[in-house]
Amino acid sequence: MSDPTPAAMPRRSRTSPLRVAVWLLVLAVPVVFLVVFFAYPVLTIVGRGLFEGGSLDFGAIGEVLSRPRTLRVIGNTLVQATVGTGVSVALSIPTAFVLYRRSFPGRKFLRSLLLVPFVLPAVVVGVAFRALLAPHGPLGFLGWDRTLMAILLALVFFNVGLVVRMVGTVWESLDPRAEQAAQTLGASPLRAALTVTLPALFPVIGSAAVVVFLFCATAFGVVLVIGGSQFATIEVEIWLQTTQFLDLKTAAVLSIVQFGVVILVFWLSSLMRGRQSPPLALADGTVPAPRLRLGKGGSALDRVCTGIALLTGTLILLPLATMLIRSFRKDGAWTLGNYVALGTRGSQALTVNVWDAAINSLRIAVDATAIAVVVGVTLALVLSRRPRNSGARRAMGLLGAFVMMPLGVSAVTVGFGFLISLDRPPLDLRSSLILIPIAQALVATPLVVRSVLPILNGINPRLHQAAATLGASPTRILLTVDGPLMLRSVGLAAGLSFAISLGEFGATSFLVRPDRPTLPIVIYRLLGRPGDGNYEMAVAASVILAIVAGTVMTLAERLQPSTSGPTR
Amino acid sequence: MEYRPLKRPAVSTFAAVATIGLMAGCSVVGGEKPSGESITLVTHDSFAMSEEVMQAFTDETGISVTQVAPGDGGALVNQLVLTKDSPLGDVVYGVSDSFASRGVDEGVFAPYTSPNLPASAEPYLVGDLLTPIDASDVCMNVDLDWFADRGITPPETLEDLTKPEYANQTVLMNPATSSVGLSFLVTTIAAFGDEGWPDYWQRLRENGVSVVDGWSDAYYVDFTAAGEGGERPIVLSYSSSPPYTIADDGKASTAALLETCSRQIEYAGVIKGATNPEGAQKFIDFMLSERFQAQLPEQMFVYPINTEVALPEDWEKFAPRPTDPFYLSPEQIDSGRTEWIEQWTSLMID
């Protein structure tokens, strides 16, 4: 709101101190949250590893970094994350086009389906992928079992829906008039899309790519199950060193490397985005999408994009279908028994039945979503301001990077950090159940910020100016201009937070109480127990998790206000 | 472009969502503090015991038990070490022998010897700090049907696994990422000695063993008897796995190779700095009682440390205790583990 004040208003030389104070106060909430529940625990555990007898052990850092294994692990991480992100983005832009810019029956259902992988526990996906790719599996002929290719497929499987969703949501509300104008002037649909629309989408694509890169770089369970130790990433190595060897020194150094990766990625992405992204021409609400036409009269653009979307769909549907089929099979026969068993405690594997665990998961997810949305939206609002003061701008840049950090920090680090830093009054929260939603909200917050921020940044400042000229107060502008435009992305962000919470395993496994396990926790326990039917139950429970997540995300989509007209 | 005020329905929807959120939040967070005497039991995350048995402890002693389960074997001990100054609870159960000495060296346990200690537990004592509660044996399992269908005799010994007729049939786990995998590494070290084990693994490798990172992955994807489409009939698992493969004819379709087993012990101990050390001691006594011990097989798939306690019928038939399993003490494992795993990794993976 510090954009040039219209001449009609009394001139103000600087932003008023009162407004700065209000913004700082607003900023305090999320910052205090992140400092207390993220920075402090993480620094405590990293510090425990790095300080030897009261002084920083620089030798250790050099020693760990010069090990060949460390270098290989860093290399693995960068290769897997770069390729995984590249492929995810390449597949998702055409897919987003089909799902958000063309209309056809069932597209809302497909949109929700695409995000389902995102919530599935990595162990389950790992086992599903291996079942698919193992020598006798349906895709065994590819010879990809336990290869880098399998890991990359799984990374794309997990993340492509996220990119489609983030990009699609913006695309959907992009004002189509510029593209139409280009076409009127003789550009083919493909050319208009490439030269007009794609550049407008760059900020959100960049935003999504950063998030996906960090998700890929910190993928853990899936790498371990599908690829095994030879493809170990930094995250896997931190887990090994912390939980198996209690080598906090190595874990701390690797954590610092991971921070470095986050900062680097963030810096690169902000370079790519350029200093000033042009405001997005956002329509107020959803722009009606034309029908998808593949036959006569359809454009090459539609056909190519549909082809790629089908490829994406296949990649996502195959493992999901494998899982679904397996959930109805036991001892070589078809059965509903695996689902009936969800009302039991399995072959002594569980402390509560799967339905109770599902209810725990839902409750925790509501809390986590509330926290993540409040913290994330506040941060996004603050980060969307463009202060004229260069120091303030730089501080803003740092805050932007800091906000992303939770995505780049290992769940083990957070879990152990909570354990040794929140252990005495006034913050003796170790056995408190509130830590679980807090830990999950930490992972979700960056995603909320990344979903909401591109929209806020894309709002044309002239809207604010016009409103101000008409005498609207800053608060009123926030509510009447930014609010409605932002709501759509808040709905998306809430859905994502909910999904993250439902699927989160790493940090939860540290904090959960045995009498209140979540769905991923019981799935993991069922998989780890050699009881009769436990595996089949785990698969059925995963299907339930997928259905719950899909439903919630469909509902989140419905919650979005339909501000203008019908969708088609 | 026009803009319009936030619509009322949107406001009320969000208010409703927020309200539901707050209400649900309270129900999650609200914890109930037990009245009267209580202890906090810290366990690994696969602890399971029937409610009747747990209630029996409270009825006998008047002490209520709160459980925390902060992770699997290794993570459990590591957390005790990290939280020495501000302990997580009063009594710990589930410390495995591969991590026991780390806890002992770091001084996280308080001495206690239970009067209920059976003679069969004595060989496994770790000073007066840890009490053995249960034993499990990690053994190779074979798919009997698979071998019967092909008219091949299943393997019996560690040596057999390296024979050409069993080439490409075995799947086992990485000792760095799986406690079961570590147990088998211990087996080979106990069997072939510090000098001989790398050679044995070399021969296993040449005979086409497959190494995966987790037990569930190996058992459910690769093993022929459990997964659909698995293609390896020999898998590393527990001696207690076969009862869970009993088919309609009343026979188990798999069997454990009792000459390939290594014994793992799980310990309990009083946590140093406990707020209720007497309660913790009483709970250790209780875990050695016949009532608790008899439940161990069905609840946690492990053998009671007290060999006088009867096993369930299915176990007697299909999961007998291996008579002479390989065994290394916690000290031996602790002093060698890191080096073995490094050596193993360079031999099998790098």
Side-chain angles (χ1 to χ4, degrees), chain B residues 272-350:
Chain B
K272 197 188 260 180
T275 44
N276 185 355
E278 291 79 22
Q281 294 176 357
K282 282 183 192 156
F283 193 75
I284 291 180
D285 297 345
F286 177 71
M287 283 193 282
L288 290 171
S289 69
E290 188 179 344
R291 177 166 210 162
F292 189 97
Q293 290 273 309
Q295 290 274 316
L296 284 167
E298 302 226 327
Q299 297 285 344
M300 276 184 271
F301 310 100
V302 292
Y303 299 102
I305 198 73
N306 185 347
T307 48
E308 315 261 288
V309 173
L311 294 178
E313 204 180 316
D314 283 348
W315 281 51
E316 290 286 5
K317 263 196 219 155
F318 301 111
R321 296 169 197 259
T323 44
D324 193 16
F326 295 102
Y327 174 73
L328 293 184
S329 73
E331 294 84 357
Q332 286 171 303
I333 298 177
D334 196 58
S335 64
R337 185 182 48 230
T338 308
E339 205 179 307
W340 297 333
I341 289 178
E342 273 169 16
Q343 208 179 336
W344 182 92
T345 306
S346 63
L347 202 66
M348 299 297 289
I349 287 183
D350 286 336

Side-chain angles (χ1 to χ4, degrees), chain A residues 45 48 69 72 123 126-127 130-131 134-137 145-146 175 177 224-230 239-240 242-246 248 281-284 326 329-332 345 347-351 360 363-364 366-367 416 419-420 423-424 430-434 437 463 466-467 470 479-481 483-484 487 490-491 509-510 512-516 524-532 534-536 559 561-564, chain B residues 1-7 10 13-14 17 20-22 24-32 43-51 66-75 77-83 85-89 99 102 106 174-179 210-222 226-231 237-238 240-241 244-246 298-301 337-338 341 345 349-350:
Chain A
I45 186 83
R48 187 74 80 93
R69 169 135 186 112
R72 212 181 57 206
V123 212
V127 173
R130 281 221 53 221
H136 277 182
D145 190 29
R146 304 179 62 71
D175 194 333
R177 276 173 295 185
L224 209 51
V225 174
I226 296 180
S229 298
Q230 66 264 47
W239 175 80
L240 272 179
T242 312
T243 63
Q244 304 299 304
F245 303 114
L246 197 61
L248 294 184
L282 289 179
D284 186 7
R326 281 196 157 210
R329 290 187 69 81
K330 187 164 186 250
D331 302 328
R345 292 171 51 218
S347 241
Q348 277 81 37
L350 305 177
T351 46
N360 290 338
R363 285 182 168 170
I364 291 172
V366 170
D367 293 1
F416 271 127
L419 206 65
I420 63 166
D423 64 338
R424 46 206 77 183
R430 280 190 317 204
S431 55
S432 164
L433 288 167
I434 188 71
L463 279 179
L470 295 170
L479 282 178
T480 55
V481 180
L487 268 189
V490 172
S509 71
F510 272 87
V512 77
R513 281 215 327 234
D515 53 339
R516 299 268 186 84
Y524 180 76
R525 283 193 194 153
L526 284 167
L527 275 178
R529 286 287 184 137
D532 181 35
N534 282 352
Y535 170 73
E536 290 83 356
L559 261 185
S562 53
T563 36
S564 69
Chain B
M1 187 188 300
E2 59 172 336
Y3 53 88
R4 50 187 85 187
L6 191 61
K7 280 187 176 176
T13 312
F14 270 74
V17 171
I20 294 168
L22 287 174
C26 292
S27 61
V28 172
V29 176
E32 61 293 331
T43 70
H44 53 51
D45 54 17
S46 13
F47 178 85
M49 188 43 67
S50 68
E51 270 170 47
T66 311
Q67 263 185 65
V68 290
D72 67 357
V77 173
N78 293 347
Q79 297 202 15
L80 292 178
V81 171
L82 284 174
T83 57
D85 302 331
S86 158
L88 290 171
F99 292 96
R102 178 180 295 162
E106 297 274 352
N174 184 339
T177 53
S178 153
S179 61
S210 167
V211 178
V212 301
D213 278 79
W215 173 85
S216 53
D217 194 19
Y219 201 85
Y220 295 123
V221 177
D222 296 292
E228 292 195 14
E231 54 170 23
S237 191
Y238 297 90
S240 53
S241 303
Y244 299 100
T245 61
I246 294 174
E298 302 226 327
Q299 297 285 344
M300 276 184 271
F301 310 100
R337 185 182 48 230
T338 308
I341 289 178
T345 306
I349 287 183
D350 286 336

